[in-house]
Amino acid sequence: MRAVFGVLSLLFVVAVVGFLAKKQLSPSQAVKLPAVMAPADKAATEPGSAPNAAAANVKEQSQQTQAQFKAALESAMQPARAVPDEKP
């Protein structure tokens, strides 16, 4: 009787794990990319200049990401604050 419950519980666990794995690995809704923001300046609206505007946006995003990473790295490299000892 104990073995039957063990086997049934093992089958139940395997079924739950399989269901969760299938759910996790199945493709979800189609990924929607955000629309490209319209350029603010007049020169970027001229024909043929759109690739340059997109490249500028990518360059700005790259620089922002690098600056954020650098700031996070510098804050992580700061020495830990000294914790005062408790007085008994």
Side-chain angles (χ1 to χ4, degrees):
M1 192 67 170
R2 192 180 218 180
V4 173
F5 286 127
V7 170
L8 289 177
S9 63
L10 182 63
L11 287 175
F12 178 74
V13 169
V14 169
V16 169
V17 169
F19 172 74
L20 291 175
K22 182 179 177 183
K23 185 177 180 182
Q24 190 75 10
L25 294 176
S26 67
S28 60
Q29 298 176 359
V31 177
K32 295 182 180 179
L33 297 176
V36 178
M37 295 176 52
D41 58 338
K42 184 180 176 183
T45 59
E46 296 176 0
S49 65
N52 293 336
N57 286 342
V58 171
K59 185 176 181 180
E60 289 174 7
Q61 289 175 349
S62 174
Q63 289 174 344
Q64 281 181 334
T65 304
Q66 289 175 1
Q68 290 173 350
F69 181 80
K70 185 177 179 182
L73 182 64
E74 288 175 354
S75 68
M77 296 298 291
Q78 295 296 324
R81 294 186 303 172
V83 178
D85 294 330
E86 291 184 22
K87 294 182 181 179

